[in-house]
């Protein structure tokens, strides 16, 4: 049986019984396991969340991962595929179990879904893989290459997502998409930088 709490503290156990555990799980689910957002939006509840054992949190995390995979494979919300992929990369990255199998499942699902994705979706997913910080260790390229043995499949996914052309007609007045060519070139350069930084050879 799992110990719900990280340390033996009778007061904490009394204060956080099954009802409180359920409340904290709802908190976790509401923010989709994003601990930075949980801490920012409700620091007090986040402190209570941090008392929950790692084993229980990992169960909750895997439940969210399974939920996201069902959403991804159903293809019922294609326009938000980029967001689901981002959630999965974040959850897999911080998970303590099944990183290899979940990463493989994600990469396979992306290849399967790629033919029905528009250019914006593909660019957004490529940005998730490239990483959005200077060190790029928040990206899917770093996750898959350093945490699994799936680098070859990873580069195949990047190639599949990158296999399109853009021109001035693709740009729109929507914020962020005023110059799609520029954004696409930027993410391709970012991917190449990640490959070099992490010692990945593209085939």
């Amino acid at each position: 049986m799992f110990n719900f709490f990280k340390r033996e503290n009778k007061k904490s156990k009394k204060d956080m019984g099954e009802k409180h555990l359920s409340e904290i799980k709802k908190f976790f689910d509401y923010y989709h396991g994003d601990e930075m957002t949980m801490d920012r939006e409700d620091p007090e509840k986040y402190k209570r969340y941090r008392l929950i054992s790692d084993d229980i949190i990992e169960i909750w995390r895997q439940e969210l991962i399974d939920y996201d995979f069902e959403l991804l494979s159903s293809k019922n919300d294609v326009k938000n595929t980029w967001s689901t992929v981002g959630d999965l990369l974040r959850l897999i990255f911080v998970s303590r179990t099944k990183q290899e199998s979940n990463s493989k499942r994600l990469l396979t699902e992306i290849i399967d879904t790629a033919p029905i994705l528009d250019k914006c979706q593909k660019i957004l997913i490529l940005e998730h893989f490239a990483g959005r910080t200077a060190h790029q260790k928040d990206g899917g390229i770093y996750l898959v290459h350093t945490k699994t043995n799936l680098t070859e499949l990873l580069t195949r996914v990047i190639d599949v997502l990158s296999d399109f052309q853009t021109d001035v007609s693709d740009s729109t007045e929507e914020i962020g998409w005023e110059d799609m060519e520029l954004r696409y070139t930027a993410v391709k350069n970012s991917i190449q930088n990640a490959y070099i930084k992490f010692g990945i050879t593209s085939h």
Side-chain angles (χ1 to χ4, degrees):
M1 177 176 293
F2 289 112
N3 174 18
F4 289 168
F5 308 96
K6 289 186 175 178
R7 53 180 179 269
E8 292 293 327
N9 185 312
K10 291 182 179 180
K11 186 177 186 299
S12 293
K13 287 186 177 182
K14 180 179 179 181
D15 291 342
M16 295 183 63
E18 290 292 338
K19 181 179 179 180
H20 291 286
L21 190 68
S22 176
E23 179 187 351
I24 298 302
K25 186 179 187 304
K26 289 179 182 178
F27 174 60
F28 179 85
D29 288 344
Y30 182 81
Y31 290 107
H32 215 76
D34 186 341
E35 294 192 356
M36 289 184 63
T37 304
M38 291 161 65
D39 189 19
R40 183 181 67 243
E41 296 299 320
D42 195 333
E44 289 304 315
K45 190 170 287 186
Y46 181 74
K47 288 178 183 178
R48 293 164 58 195
Y49 160 77
R50 292 303 301 158
L51 294 174
I52 305 296
S53 75
D54 290 338
D55 289 332
I56 292 297
I57 292 172
E58 182 64 14
I59 290 172
W60 294 351
R61 188 178 290 124
Q62 293 300 326
E63 288 175 352
L64 288 179
I65 288 172
D66 288 341
Y67 171 84
D68 284 340
F69 273 129
E70 288 180 12
L71 184 62
L72 194 61
S73 62
S74 73
K75 299 178 177 59
N76 290 331
D77 192 24
V78 175
K79 70 180 184 301
N80 287 315
T81 295
W82 69 276
S83 180
T84 304
V85 169
D87 284 338
L88 279 165
L89 285 171
R90 173 177 53 78
L91 290 166
I92 294 170
F93 188 85
V94 299
S95 64
R96 300 166 62 234
T97 61
K98 301 175 67 174
Q99 282 189 325
E100 181 95 11
S101 60
N102 282 331
S103 294
K104 185 175 182 178
R105 186 178 178 186
L106 175 58
L107 296 174
T108 303
E109 287 284 359
I110 292 172
I111 290 173
D112 183 56
T113 307
I116 62 174
L117 298 176
D118 63 26
K119 295 177 183 180
C120 292
Q121 289 283 320
K122 290 179 179 179
I123 289 172
L124 287 164
I125 294 172
L126 287 170
E127 288 174 346
H128 282 318
F129 275 93
R132 300 177 185 275
T133 59
H135 56 65
Q136 296 185 280
K137 291 185 178 180
D138 61 325
I141 290 173
Y142 178 80
L143 163 66
V144 176
H145 180 61
T146 62
K147 306 294 184 181
T148 76
N149 295 305
L150 300 168
T151 300
E152 185 174 347
L153 181 58
L154 165 67
T155 58
R156 181 184 169 200
V157 166
I158 298 299
D159 289 345
V160 168
L161 290 172
S162 303
D163 188 20
F164 66 93
Q165 300 295 322
T166 60
D167 56 46
V168 66
S169 66
D170 292 315
S171 300
T172 70
E173 294 183 358
E174 184 178 355
I175 296 174
W177 300 105
E178 300 91 342
D179 191 335
M180 185 182 288
E181 284 186 282
L182 182 63
R183 186 162 179 174
Y184 183 41
T185 298
V187 74
K188 287 194 294 184
N189 289 339
S190 185
I191 286 167
Q192 289 306 311
N193 288 339
Y195 280 5
I196 293 169
K197 190 175 297 182
F198 306 127
I200 298 173
T201 301
S202 179
H203 299 291

